[in-house]
Amino acid sequence: MTVEKLVRNPEQLPARDPKKLPPLENGDRLTRYEFERRYQAMPHIKKAELIEGVVHMASPLRFEPHAEPHSTIIGWLWVYRTATPGVRLGDNATVRLDVDNEPQPDALLRLEPSAGGQSRLSDDGYVEGAPEESIPVVQRSPKECDNDFSRG
């Protein structure tokens, strides 16, 4: 589904000149439509999510607290996918849950509708609806990690 399909009168949409759009910023409160417009106009942004109408933008990711566990999860899910008919695996795919939520989980599993899946792929290639499994890899701050060692 394109962003134009999210509104009743697409011809009334403002011009798509990216220079006229405000930048996407962490903490912005936006509709999914406005979030997608700004995100598409900023190709240098690699990961942004809309959660309950609030924009969340990713910080740089470290190897041990994020990249390594992420690769382990993808490997585990790939093995599951290859052994389970009708299952599809995605890595950092945007998911259009509803008008206020557009997360980009680190990994997801979805069933094809023919296998009973509850999500579908939109005409423009996004997952729409909740996938059967969505997995975020949460990176804690260095301070949170330091606290683990100080408790010992």
Side-chain angles (χ1 to χ4, degrees):
M1 173 181 287
T2 63
V3 291
E4 286 80 5
K5 292 180 182 177
L6 296 172
V7 295
R8 291 193 177 156
N9 298 314
E11 65 278 355
Q12 295 176 350
L13 293 173
R16 287 183 167 254
D17 184 356
K19 295 174 187 168
K20 294 183 181 180
L21 290 175
L24 191 62
E25 294 187 19
N26 208 25
D28 284 346
R29 294 198 61 79
L30 301 173
T31 63
R32 192 180 88 194
Y33 167 74
E34 184 62 20
F35 170 77
E36 285 190 4
R37 281 179 17 127
R38 293 187 194 183
Y39 197 4
Q40 290 171 3
M42 300 177 71
H44 63 282
I45 303 283
K46 299 301 177 206
K47 186 168 184 175
E49 300 177 294
L50 187 68
I51 308 297
E52 295 298 319
V54 178
V55 174
H56 296 270
M57 297 173 72
S59 299
L61 300 173
R62 293 176 186 84
F63 182 79
E64 287 180 340
H66 184 86
E68 191 170 41
H70 177 95
S71 66
T72 300
I73 288 169
I74 292 296
W76 168 65
L77 293 174
W78 181 84
V79 169
Y80 179 81
R81 188 212 64 161
T82 59
T84 311
V87 171
R88 294 186 70 183
L89 170 61
D91 180 357
N92 282 293
T94 296
V95 178
R96 292 174 172 160
L97 288 177
D98 56 37
V99 296
D100 291 326
N101 293 286
E102 189 170 298
Q104 189 177 341
D106 289 289
L108 67 82
L109 290 175
R110 59 179 297 273
L111 287 174
E112 287 293 335
S114 60
Q118 58 188 6
S119 65
R120 68 175 201 85
L121 292 180
S122 66
D123 292 339
D124 55 348
Y126 292 102
V127 175
E128 291 185 339
E132 280 59 43
E133 187 64 56
S134 173
I135 302 167
V137 177
V138 179
Q139 175 174 300
R140 298 183 304 164
S141 72
K143 184 176 180 178
E144 290 173 313
C145 293
D146 289 344
N147 287 341
D148 287 346
F149 297 111
S150 64
R151 292 184 193 148

